[in-house]
Amino acid sequence: MTQTTFYNCYFFDGTNDQNQTDTWFTVDDTGRITVIGHGTPTDTTDTVDLHGQYVMPGFINVHTHITSDPDAFSGHFGGSETESAVFAYENLRTLLKSGVTYIRECGTTYDIDIKLKRESVKYLV
């Protein structure tokens, strides 16, 4: 199992209201944090310097419609299945760039959410 240690960051894990300074953490190839420490990492085999950036858990959006236009009041749901899939993909990218790492989908046209999930699983394995 591959592990990568990230170091030199401010770390917020949500267990209290403070950022932890000069933190390092190791992540396995599933994306789980396996160990957290402060100062110099104990294992420096595969490391990434975060240059003082902040690390925090992703946001959760519990009500999404990824095929809807968030800027339109019409509740527009894309035209064809292909257009809906592209629209959903673009909305998911926007969510991810804004820090959302988990969504609860509340309905899409053509079951695009289910199809995208099936496709993503192929690439995660």
Side-chain angles (χ1 to χ4, degrees):
M1 179 175 288
T2 305
Q3 294 193 348
T4 304
T5 299
F6 297 86
Y7 68 98
N8 186 18
C9 68
Y10 293 94
F11 189 83
F12 177 76
D13 61 9
T15 59
N16 61 52
D17 63 353
Q18 300 296 315
N19 290 320
Q20 300 173 45
T21 59
D22 195 24
T23 303
W24 60 266
F25 59 95
T26 302
V27 177
D28 66 19
D29 53 4
T30 67
R32 287 189 182 258
I33 295 176
T34 58
V35 63
I36 300 171
H38 300 282
T40 305
T42 55
D43 179 15
T44 57
T45 308
D46 191 11
T47 60
V48 176
D49 185 348
L50 294 177
H51 302 286
Q53 295 183 59
Y54 288 82
V55 176
M56 62 184 275
F59 295 114
I60 300 170
N61 187 330
V62 296
H63 188 129
T64 62
H65 298 279
I66 59 172
T67 55
S68 291
D69 182 351
D71 296 324
F73 295 107
S74 65
H76 168 72
F77 289 87
S80 70
E81 185 170 2
T82 302
E83 290 169 324
S84 293
V86 169
F87 208 77
Y89 178 78
E90 290 171 352
N91 282 336
L92 289 169
R93 285 184 55 138
T94 299
L95 285 167
L96 187 58
K97 286 181 178 181
S98 66
V100 175
T101 58
Y102 183 86
I103 66 166
R104 179 178 178 272
E105 180 56 30
C106 295
T108 64
T109 54
Y110 306 105
D111 293 327
I112 295 296
D113 53 337
I114 296 167
K115 294 172 184 174
L116 287 173
K117 174 64 175 173
R118 282 189 202 135
E119 288 302 310
S120 68
V121 169
K122 291 179 188 177
Y123 299 103
L124 295 175
V125 178

